[in-house]
């Protein structure tokens, strides 16, 4: 039972940065913009948050610094892709590389000493329930906040006028512009929100998940988050379930190495990425499902008629 609880809680924790990053990218893509720079924004967010902690700032301020760092990086992408109409694929890849370089530069003076991680909270009475308490009521605040953001984004996209406008822009920006909606401004807001969420994901990695500075600590999680949006066919609930699935793969490979399973450690480490490839191949076979929720104007530049 202890092993099961450890795997379950580890899965939820490992999925948290994926939830933040993938939900942010989901909103961006629903507006018709494709930002491949999640990895770079996560790294910048991780570096900013870690710097804030070692500078002695309170943990909430450090997490906010990480989120704002990701948003600032996304603004750079927005200027290139939305204002200058640069190819969105190229701009996103450039942002990923840029974020890796910036985080490596900032991390030169961080050293190798660990920091005090984000404290977990024990919900009174509920956390003391056998089995259920440790499984659901002893996480850090960011885990619960990720679930809240899932609920808020789901509600916004499908229960509000703003969500309908965003989805309309993702389907037909020309139509949205013709009836008076500021397409570029709304896309900028979506891109900034996606960067904010990616920054939160990076901050979580550096101050909670692995409270020790390691260069390129995202280890491909930004690319997995990008794949998650496709895996989920642009639906928030499936993003959440997919993040838990890939989080579980990550924890299983760690537990497998700890238990000394007679499988090469390199193969176990590659398990989450292999799972990503397999799932994407399977999903791509069902073109009808992909087309059902695929934003029709995704990655297509839009210039308002003058």
């Amino acid at each position: 039972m202890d092993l099961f609880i450890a795997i379950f809680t580890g899965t939820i924790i490992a999925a948290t940065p994926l939830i933040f990053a993938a939900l942010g990218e989901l909103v961006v893509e629903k507006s018709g913009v494709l930002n491949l720079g999640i990895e770079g924004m996560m790294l910048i967010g991780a570096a900013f948050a870690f710097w804030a902690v070692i500078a002695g700032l309170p943990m909430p301020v450090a997490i906010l610094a990480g989120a704002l760092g990701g948003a600032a990086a996304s603004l750079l992408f927005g200027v290139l892709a939305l204002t200058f109409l640069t190819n969105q694929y190229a701009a996103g890849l450039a942002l990923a590389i840029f974020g890796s370089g910036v985080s490596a530069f900032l991390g030169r003076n961080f050293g190798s000493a660990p920091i005090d991680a984000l404290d977990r909270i024990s919900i009174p009475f509920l956390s003391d329930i056998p089995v259920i308490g440790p499984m659901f009521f002893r996480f850090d605040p960011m885990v619960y906040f990720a679930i809240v953001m899932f609920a808020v984004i789901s509600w916004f996209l499908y229960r509000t006028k703003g969500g309908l406008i965003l989805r309309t822009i993702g389907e037909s920006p020309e139509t949205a512009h013709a009836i008076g909606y500021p397409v570029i401004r709304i896309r900028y807001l979506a891109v900034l929100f996606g960067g904010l969420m990616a920054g939160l994901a990076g901050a979580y990695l550096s101050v909670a998940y692995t409270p020790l500075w390691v260069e390129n600590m995202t280890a491909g999680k930004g690319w997995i988050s990008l794949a998650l949006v496709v895996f989920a066919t642009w639906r928030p609930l499936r993003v959440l379930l997919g993040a838990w699935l890939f989080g579980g793969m990550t924890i299983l490979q760690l537990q497998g190495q700890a238990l000394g399973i007679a499988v090469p450690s390199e193969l176990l480490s590659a398990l989450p990425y292999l799972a990503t490839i397999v799932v994407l191949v399977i999903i791509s076979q069902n073109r009808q499902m992909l087309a059902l929720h695929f934003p029709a104007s995704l990655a297509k530049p839009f210039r308002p008629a003058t």
Side-chain angles (χ1 to χ4, degrees), residues 92-183:
L93 290 172
L95 178 57
I97 298 170
F98 174 76
S100 177
V102 168
S103 66
F105 176 77
L106 294 176
R108 292 182 307 166
N109 301 318
F110 287 168
S112 58
I115 60 173
D116 293 330
L118 181 64
D119 292 330
R120 298 188 181 188
I121 56 175
S122 293
I123 300 176
F125 305 111
L126 295 177
S127 61
D128 297 326
I129 301 174
V131 182
I132 295 177
M135 288 177 65
F136 296 101
F137 304 112
R138 295 182 185 175
F139 293 107
D140 61 74
M142 292 289 283
V143 172
Y144 299 112
F145 184 58
I147 305 301
V148 170
M149 289 306 299
F150 154 73
V152 169
I153 290 171
S154 299
W155 169 78
F156 171 76
L157 287 176
Y158 300 105
R159 294 291 185 270
T160 68
K161 181 181 178 181
L164 178 61
I165 293 171
L166 182 77
R167 289 185 288 120
T168 301
I169 289 173
E171 293 296 330
S172 178
E174 294 81 7
T175 301
H177 176 70
I179 58 180
Y181 292 118
V183 173

Side-chain angles (χ1 to χ4, degrees), residues 9-254:
T9 57
T11 295
I12 300 300
I13 293 170
T16 297
L18 300 178
I19 294 171
F20 281 125
L23 285 175
E25 179 63 16
L26 173 67
V27 172
V28 175
E29 294 191 15
K30 281 292 188 181
S31 74
V33 179
L34 178 63
N35 186 352
L36 299 180
I38 302 176
E39 187 89 354
M41 294 184 294
M42 287 178 67
L43 284 168
I44 290 175
F48 274 51
F50 197 90
W51 168 82
V53 170
I54 62 176
L57 297 176
M59 188 63 75
V61 176
I63 294 172
L64 178 61
L68 293 177
S74 72
L75 180 60
L76 176 61
F77 168 84
V79 170
L80 291 173
L82 301 179
T83 300
F84 295 110
L85 300 182
T86 305
N87 181 281
Q88 292 180 18
Y89 296 95
L93 290 172
L95 178 57
I97 298 170
F98 174 76
S100 177
V102 168
S103 66
F105 176 77
L106 294 176
R108 292 182 307 166
N109 301 318
F110 287 168
S112 58
I115 60 173
D116 293 330
L118 181 64
D119 292 330
R120 298 188 181 188
I121 56 175
S122 293
I123 300 176
F125 305 111
L126 295 177
S127 61
D128 297 326
I129 301 174
V131 182
I132 295 177
M135 288 177 65
F136 296 101
F137 304 112
R138 295 182 185 175
F139 293 107
D140 61 74
M142 292 289 283
V143 172
Y144 299 112
F145 184 58
I147 305 301
V148 170
M149 289 306 299
F150 154 73
V152 169
I153 290 171
S154 299
W155 169 78
F156 171 76
L157 287 176
Y158 300 105
R159 294 291 185 270
T160 68
K161 181 181 178 181
L164 178 61
I165 293 171
L166 182 77
R167 289 185 288 120
T168 301
I169 289 173
E171 293 296 330
S172 178
E174 294 81 7
T175 301
H177 176 70
I179 58 180
Y181 292 118
V183 173
I184 299 300
R185 186 189 309 167
I186 292 172
R187 283 186 166 181
Y188 258 110
L189 291 174
V191 167
L192 285 171
F193 178 77
L196 193 79
M197 292 288 280
L200 278 177
Y204 186 79
L205 286 174
S206 64
V207 303
Y209 189 70
T210 310
L212 174 72
W213 182 253
V214 178
E215 190 172 328
N216 289 320
M217 66 191 312
T218 50
K221 290 181 175 62
W223 301 109
I224 291 179
S225 300
L226 190 67
L228 263 177
V229 179
V230 181
F231 163 78
T233 59
W234 295 271
R235 305 289 287 185
L237 179 58
R238 293 176 184 173
V239 167
L240 183 68
L241 297 176
W244 285 340
L245 171 64
F246 290 113
M249 291 290 183
T250 301
I251 295 303
L252 284 176
Q253 62 97 358
L254 293 174

